[in-house]
Amino acid sequence: MITSIILINTERTKVNTVGAQLAAIQGVDEVYSVSGRYDLIAIIRLKNIEDLARLATEKLSHIDGITHTESMVAFKKISPEDIAGMFDLGS
Amino acid sequence: MITSIILINTERTKVNTVGAQLAAIQGVDEVYSVSGRYDLIAIIRLKNIEDLARLATEKLSHIDGITHTESMVAFKKISPEDIAGMFDLGS
Amino acid sequence: MITSIILINTERTKVNTVGAQLAAIQGVDEVYSVSGRYDLIAIIRLKNIEDLARLATEKLSHIDGITHTESMVAFKKISPEDIAGMFDLGS
Amino acid sequence: MITSIILINTERTKVNTVGAQLAAIQGVDEVYSVSGRYDLIAIIRLKNIEDLARLATEKLSHIDGITHTESMVAFKKISPEDIAGMFDLGS
Amino acid sequence: MITSIILINTERTKVNTVGAQLAAIQGVDEVYSVSGRYDLIAIIRLKNIEDLARLATEKLSHIDGITHTESMVAFKKISPEDIAGMFDLGS
Amino acid sequence: MITSIILINTERTKVNTVGAQLAAIQGVDEVYSVSGRYDLIAIIRLKNIEDLARLATEKLSHIDGITHTESMVAFKKISPEDIAGMFDLGS
Amino acid sequence: MITSIILINTERTKVNTVGAQLAAIQGVDEVYSVSGRYDLIAIIRLKNIEDLARLATEKLSHIDGITHTESMVAFKKISPEDIAGMFDLGS
Amino acid sequence: MITSIILINTERTKVNTVGAQLAAIQGVDEVYSVSGRYDLIAIIRLKNIEDLARLATEKLSHIDGITHTESMVAFKKISPEDIAGMFDLGS
Amino acid sequence: MITSIILINTERTKVNTVGAQLAAIQGVDEVYSVSGRYDLIAIIRLKNIEDLARLATEKLSHIDGITHTESMVAFKKISPEDIAGMFDLGS
Amino acid sequence: MITSIILINTERTKVNTVGAQLAAIQGVDEVYSVSGRYDLIAIIRLKNIEDLARLATEKLSHIDGITHTESMVAFKKISPEDIAGMFDLGS
């Protein structure tokens, strides 16, 4: 399982249509229109990096109105219990 | 219910400890260490903007090792069905 | 009640027309043409985040001549009395 | 009467104390903690540019914990009626 | 009396024509073509902020070939004698 | 005669003292504290580029509290009459 | 198998020592000192994203002298034959 | 032998076709589509700087759909044994 | 004698033609295509600032395919013997 | 023979000393203090890329007071005659 977060800018009149098309793609779990420098944030969950490659370089490119994307691949989901392990780091 | 996404940079040796402390805060749903320009992404879900204010300007500031944050407030969660409504926009 | 401040750039000949159209939108309290890197600043006051979503992703997109926006959601209005409460923070 | 908007960044633990000290300065009408790239936005209303000079280069500098400011001077408050006058511009 | 400095970029073939048109506007005291990241710098001196508003958002927008402007409003002209007064600041 | 414009940032508490020290340097014609991303703008007029070199790399470096400078050398002062000559350019 | 490229900046005197320490980490295939805005580029090849997480957020943080990193995860290695498949995309 | 790494952005629909055309050029060893701010990374290995000049300013310019490139020339491939030599540096 | 260095970006297919046209201009001593964020660097040597003004704002603007320039004026050529003089600076 | 141009920023009081130390390094042909965003520009000419590696990652790091460098490697010196060859490019 691989998680990716994508920060997206769109043409001004297409925030909601781009968002809805994104949300319809398999593997796109959540899409939010957001305040700030970006227009949309998409949270992606897919089986492996090959599926993510297909989504990022092929499926997204079919959506009209996207002007900029910056994708981040999650290395790891961090939980509160990870603090314990942390103390080993400096030793 | 209000959703917020926070892009976070930390001191180099504290990615995981900052992440674990974040994950322990009430309202912080998910924390990921990520590739790219940021170190961590936190997804926050809280009842209202007052709770978000408290988290963003007070609780986060107690975590040692955060060097930069950029928060985004979700305007709306977009679903595939939102496409239909879109066509009304231009009319 | 939710407050939002939007930093806006427009096409060079449309600062005033964009400003006037913004000022006519319900919930847009104040619009200023300003010195510096931005052309206009709008101060928005609306009942809730759903209204703000509608304004930011739909109503603004109907105004011709906007080239860039960066919105900020106010977490909290701060008053001088908040200093007292501050001293509790470190304890 | 002159209006100025100031975008402010503070040390991480001082968003609220800086905000409260700002709010206590004469001429500072509103101070908000905000989402996004800045920590605080202050809206200033003063009689003239000399008062603004004093606030921007002297009074602000006495507040401990401000790391960055970017001030904008309002040229003009724009109202919906300004649209009419706009049509003259191109003629 | 209000002083403003404007940093200007123009289309590559129009540095001198934009500069000459700027120099012909009432209140524009000096215009220089310059080395570095900007093409022109204009120094403006006008009676009040209303005149500056008119120049910045209306008159400049009639000049063809300007691609970017960043205006700064002078708070105060500083003279060597201001050093004396400075020592009072910390007291 | 050579003209140079310098955009200056200072430590927060030293805008006015740096400005006053700058204004006392021979060849520094005008110093303004300004709104926006910079703290001070200095307008320099000197006999030749050697004098400017001395001012920029030696005299300025003796002033405590400057954190950043960006200097621009004026190529030419542009006057309204330069429009006429412009029409020759394309021929 | 997952490939990652990391752009690295180091303290000025530590380009080579940081590079050598990086090169000694298991999974770090190639390290180059480079011209331009970055000091080092590391090419990483590891079995899975968990190993990459460990390298990026733990092992790198033990190397003294790194001031900035920006990691990219390879979606896919592209070969010349991929052109054929491309023509299907628009259909 | 000279090694160069090129960070590439492409038009949104052309990541894979640009990548495949790049991969077909002699001297282009590896091409990856990547997460983050860039679309593609190419690793080039050529006999000398003249060949690299030809690739960078001529061959790349024949590929349609590239919007931005930033090339880095490898000074040196660093190996773990370089640590020893490092200790001489300070002496 | 005045020396200027210009950092230049060109349309992707025109690096060499722009470079050759630049190299043919009187006063342009050296032109290099370069790695990194810029496409070309030109080193200019002219008798005085008026000649440089003409080159920067007129002659360069006749060359088709330049998209961006940033010029720097050399204050002074520094030689190893300048170290001696340096020790006087602090006195 | 390899040519490299390095854009350099220094601590404010060290522009001239850093410049003189640079100028004393073998292979450093010219050093200029310059207007604009950078403090110094160095033009390097060395026999091969190994010598350049040594200069960039070892010799420069011994000079105290450098805060930032960005090096560019010259692909090719362009001469006016290169225009002829250009016309072949499109054929």
Side-chain angles (χ1 to χ4, degrees):
Chain A
M1 176 71 125
I2 201 156
T3 300
S4 174
I5 290 97
I6 313 188
L7 309 170
I8 299 163
N9 287 302
T10 71
E11 296 170 21
R12 294 202 51 67
T13 58
K14 295 187 176 162
V15 178
N16 283 314
T17 26
V18 167
Q21 286 176 273
L22 274 170
I25 293 176
Q26 202 203 336
V28 178
D29 242 42
E30 299 159 70
V31 178
Y32 297 98
S33 57
V34 289
S35 70
R37 292 191 291 160
Y38 305 99
D39 296 311
L40 294 166
I41 289 191
I43 301 174
I44 317 289
R45 284 191 186 84
L46 284 162
K47 239 195 329 215
N48 51 43
I49 200 111
E50 287 73 31
D51 287 354
L52 184 55
R54 212 150 14 240
L55 188 145
T57 65
E58 295 178 23
K59 290 187 183 166
L60 284 198
S61 74
H62 286 62
I63 299 179
D64 184 49
I66 293 179
T67 55
H68 184 256
T69 64
E70 178 168 348
S71 59
M72 291 163 285
V73 176
F75 287 138
K76 181 177 147 172
K77 182 167 180 175
I78 300 179
S79 65
E81 300 77 52
D82 289 334
I83 290 186
M86 289 312 102
F87 294 112
D88 301 352
L89 264 185
S91 62
Chain B
M1 177 72 129
I2 201 156
T3 300
S4 174
I5 290 96
I6 312 189
L7 309 170
I8 298 163
N9 287 302
T10 72
E11 295 171 21
R12 293 203 52 67
T13 57
K14 297 188 175 161
V15 178
N16 283 314
T17 25
V18 167
Q21 286 175 272
L22 274 170
I25 293 176
Q26 199 201 340
V28 178
D29 243 41
E30 298 160 71
V31 179
Y32 298 98
S33 57
V34 290
S35 70
R37 292 192 290 161
Y38 306 99
D39 296 311
L40 294 167
I41 290 191
I43 302 173
I44 317 290
R45 285 189 186 86
L46 285 161
K47 241 198 328 220
N48 51 43
I49 201 110
E50 286 74 29
D51 287 354
L52 184 54
R54 212 149 16 237
L55 188 144
T57 65
E58 295 178 24
K59 291 188 183 165
L60 284 198
S61 73
H62 287 58
I63 299 179
D64 183 49
I66 294 180
T67 56
H68 184 256
T69 65
E70 178 168 350
S71 59
M72 291 163 284
V73 175
F75 288 138
K76 182 179 149 171
K77 182 167 180 175
I78 300 179
S79 65
E81 300 77 53
D82 289 334
I83 291 186
M86 289 311 102
F87 294 112
D88 302 352
L89 263 186
S91 62
Chain C
M1 177 72 126
I2 201 156
T3 300
S4 174
I5 290 98
I6 313 188
L7 309 171
I8 298 163
N9 288 302
T10 71
E11 296 171 21
R12 293 201 53 66
T13 57
K14 295 187 175 160
V15 179
N16 283 314
T17 26
V18 166
Q21 285 175 273
L22 274 170
I25 294 175
Q26 201 202 337
V28 178
D29 242 40
E30 298 160 71
V31 179
Y32 297 97
S33 56
V34 289
S35 70
R37 291 192 292 161
Y38 306 99
D39 296 311
L40 294 167
I41 289 191
I43 301 173
I44 317 289
R45 285 190 185 86
L46 284 162
K47 239 195 329 215
N48 52 43
I49 201 110
E50 286 74 30
D51 288 354
L52 185 54
R54 213 152 12 241
L55 188 145
T57 65
E58 295 177 24
K59 290 188 184 164
L60 284 198
S61 75
H62 286 61
I63 299 179
D64 184 49
I66 293 179
T67 55
H68 184 256
T69 64
E70 179 168 348
S71 58
M72 291 163 285
V73 175
F75 287 138
K76 181 178 148 172
K77 181 167 181 174
I78 300 179
S79 65
E81 299 78 52
D82 289 334
I83 291 186
M86 289 311 102
F87 294 112
D88 300 352
L89 263 185
S91 62
Chain D
M1 176 72 129
I2 202 156
T3 300
S4 175
I5 290 97
I6 313 189
L7 309 170
I8 299 162
N9 287 302
T10 71
E11 295 171 21
R12 292 201 53 66
T13 58
K14 296 188 175 160
V15 179
N16 283 315
T17 26
V18 167
Q21 285 175 274
L22 274 169
I25 294 176
Q26 200 202 339
V28 177
D29 242 41
E30 298 160 71
V31 179
Y32 297 98
S33 57
V34 290
S35 70
R37 292 192 289 162
Y38 306 99
D39 295 311
L40 294 167
I41 290 191
I43 302 174
I44 318 289
R45 285 189 185 87
L46 285 162
K47 240 197 330 220
N48 53 43
I49 200 111
E50 286 75 30
D51 287 353
L52 185 54
R54 213 152 12 239
L55 188 144
T57 65
E58 295 177 23
K59 291 186 183 166
L60 285 198
S61 73
H62 286 59
I63 299 178
D64 183 50
I66 294 180
T67 57
H68 185 257
T69 65
E70 178 168 349
S71 59
M72 292 163 283
V73 175
F75 287 138
K76 182 178 147 173
K77 182 167 180 174
I78 300 179
S79 65
E81 299 77 54
D82 289 334
I83 291 186
M86 288 312 102
F87 295 112
D88 300 352
L89 264 186
S91 62
Chain E
M1 175 71 125
I2 201 156
T3 300
S4 174
I5 291 97
I6 313 188
L7 308 170
I8 299 162
N9 287 302
T10 72
E11 295 171 21
R12 293 202 51 66
T13 58
K14 295 187 175 161
V15 178
N16 283 314
T17 26
V18 167
Q21 285 175 274
L22 274 170
I25 294 176
Q26 201 202 338
V28 178
D29 242 40
E30 298 159 71
V31 179
Y32 297 98
S33 56
V34 289
S35 70
R37 291 191 292 161
Y38 305 98
D39 296 311
L40 294 167
I41 289 190
I43 302 173
I44 317 289
R45 286 191 185 84
L46 283 162
K47 240 197 327 217
N48 52 44
I49 201 111
E50 286 74 31
D51 287 353
L52 185 54
R54 211 150 15 239
L55 188 145
T57 65
E58 295 177 22
K59 290 188 183 164
L60 284 198
S61 74
H62 286 61
I63 298 179
D64 183 49
I66 294 179
T67 56
H68 180 86
T69 64
E70 179 169 348
S71 59
M72 291 162 285
V73 175
F75 287 138
K76 180 177 147 172
K77 182 167 181 175
I78 299 179
S79 65
E81 299 77 53
D82 289 334
I83 291 186
M86 289 311 103
F87 295 112
D88 301 352
L89 265 185
S91 62
Chain F
M1 175 73 126
I2 201 156
T3 300
S4 175
I5 291 96
I6 312 189
L7 309 171
I8 298 163
N9 287 302
T10 71
E11 295 171 21
R12 292 202 52 66
T13 58
K14 296 187 175 160
V15 178
N16 284 314
T17 26
V18 167
Q21 285 174 275
L22 274 169
I25 293 176
Q26 199 201 340
V28 177
D29 243 41
E30 299 159 70
V31 179
Y32 297 98
S33 57
V34 290
S35 70
R37 292 192 289 162
Y38 306 99
D39 295 311
L40 294 167
I41 289 191
I43 302 173
I44 317 289
R45 284 189 186 87
L46 285 162
K47 239 197 330 216
N48 52 43
I49 200 110
E50 286 75 29
D51 288 353
L52 184 54
R54 211 147 18 235
L55 188 144
T57 65
E58 295 177 23
K59 291 187 183 166
L60 284 198
S61 74
H62 286 60
I63 298 179
D64 183 49
I66 294 180
T67 55
H68 184 256
T69 65
E70 178 168 349
S71 59
M72 291 163 284
V73 175
F75 288 138
K76 183 178 148 173
K77 182 168 180 173
I78 300 179
S79 65
E81 299 78 53
D82 289 334
I83 291 186
M86 288 313 102
F87 295 112
D88 301 352
L89 263 185
S91 63
Chain G
M1 175 73 127
I2 201 157
T3 300
S4 174
I5 291 95
I6 312 189
L7 309 170
I8 299 163
N9 286 303
T10 71
E11 294 172 22
R12 293 202 52 67
T13 58
K14 296 187 175 161
V15 178
N16 284 315
T17 26
V18 167
Q21 285 175 273
L22 274 170
I25 293 176
Q26 200 202 338
V28 178
D29 243 41
E30 299 159 70
V31 179
Y32 298 98
S33 57
V34 290
S35 70
R37 293 191 289 161
Y38 306 99
D39 296 311
L40 294 167
I41 289 191
I43 302 173
I44 318 289
R45 285 190 185 85
L46 285 162
K47 240 197 328 217
N48 51 44
I49 201 110
E50 286 75 29
D51 288 353
L52 185 54
R54 212 150 14 237
L55 188 144
T57 65
E58 295 176 24
K59 291 187 183 165
L60 284 198
S61 73
H62 286 60
I63 300 178
D64 183 50
I66 294 180
T67 56
H68 185 257
T69 64
E70 178 168 349
S71 59
M72 292 163 284
V73 175
F75 287 138
K76 182 178 149 172
K77 181 168 181 175
I78 300 179
S79 65
E81 299 77 53
D82 289 335
I83 291 186
M86 289 311 102
F87 294 113
D88 301 351
L89 264 185
S91 62
Chain H
M1 177 72 126
I2 201 156
T3 300
S4 173
I5 291 98
I6 312 189
L7 309 171
I8 299 163
N9 288 302
T10 71
E11 296 171 20
R12 293 202 52 67
T13 57
K14 296 187 175 161
V15 178
N16 283 314
T17 25
V18 167
Q21 285 174 275
L22 274 170
I25 294 176
Q26 202 203 338
V28 177
D29 243 41
E30 298 160 71
V31 179
Y32 297 97
S33 57
V34 289
S35 70
R37 292 191 291 162
Y38 305 99
D39 296 310
L40 293 167
I41 289 191
I43 301 174
I44 318 289
R45 285 191 185 84
L46 284 162
K47 240 196 329 214
N48 52 43
I49 201 112
E50 287 74 30
D51 287 354
L52 184 55
R54 212 152 13 239
L55 188 145
T57 65
E58 295 177 23
K59 290 187 184 166
L60 284 198
S61 75
H62 286 62
I63 299 178
D64 183 49
I66 293 179
T67 56
H68 181 87
T69 64
E70 178 168 348
S71 58
M72 291 162 285
V73 176
F75 287 139
K76 181 177 147 170
K77 182 168 180 174
I78 299 179
S79 64
E81 299 77 53
D82 289 334
I83 290 185
M86 289 312 102
F87 294 112
D88 302 351
L89 265 185
S91 61
Chain I
M1 178 72 127
I2 202 156
T3 300
S4 174
I5 291 97
I6 313 188
L7 309 171
I8 298 163
N9 287 302
T10 71
E11 296 171 20
R12 292 202 52 67
T13 58
K14 296 187 176 161
V15 178
N16 283 315
T17 26
V18 166
Q21 285 174 274
L22 274 170
I25 293 176
Q26 202 202 337
V28 178
D29 242 40
E30 298 160 71
V31 179
Y32 297 98
S33 57
V34 289
S35 70
R37 293 192 291 161
Y38 306 99
D39 296 310
L40 294 167
I41 289 191
I43 302 173
I44 318 289
R45 286 191 185 84
L46 284 162
K47 241 197 326 216
N48 52 43
I49 200 111
E50 287 74 30
D51 288 353
L52 184 55
R54 212 150 14 239
L55 188 145
T57 65
E58 295 177 23
K59 290 187 184 166
L60 284 198
S61 74
H62 286 61
I63 298 179
D64 184 49
I66 293 178
T67 56
H68 184 255
T69 64
E70 178 168 348
S71 58
M72 290 162 285
V73 175
F75 287 138
K76 182 177 147 173
K77 181 167 181 174
I78 299 179
S79 65
E81 299 77 53
D82 289 334
I83 291 186
M86 288 313 102
F87 294 112
D88 301 352
L89 264 185
S91 62
Chain J
M1 176 72 126
I2 201 156
T3 300
S4 174
I5 291 97
I6 312 188
L7 309 170
I8 299 163
N9 286 303
T10 71
E11 295 171 21
R12 292 202 54 67
T13 57
K14 296 187 175 162
V15 178
N16 283 315
T17 26
V18 167
Q21 285 175 274
L22 274 170
I25 293 175
Q26 200 202 338
V28 178
D29 243 41
E30 298 160 71
V31 179
Y32 297 98
S33 57
V34 290
S35 70
R37 292 192 290 162
Y38 306 99
D39 295 311
L40 294 167
I41 289 191
I43 302 174
I44 318 289
R45 284 188 186 86
L46 285 162
K47 240 198 327 218
N48 52 44
I49 200 111
E50 286 74 29
D51 288 353
L52 185 54
R54 212 149 15 237
L55 188 145
T57 65
E58 295 177 23
K59 291 188 183 166
L60 284 198
S61 74
H62 287 59
I63 299 178
D64 183 49
I66 295 179
T67 55
H68 185 256
T69 65
E70 178 168 350
S71 59
M72 291 164 284
V73 175
F75 287 138
K76 182 178 147 172
K77 182 167 181 175
I78 300 179
S79 65
E81 300 77 52
D82 289 334
I83 291 186
M86 289 312 101
F87 294 113
D88 301 352
L89 263 186
S91 63

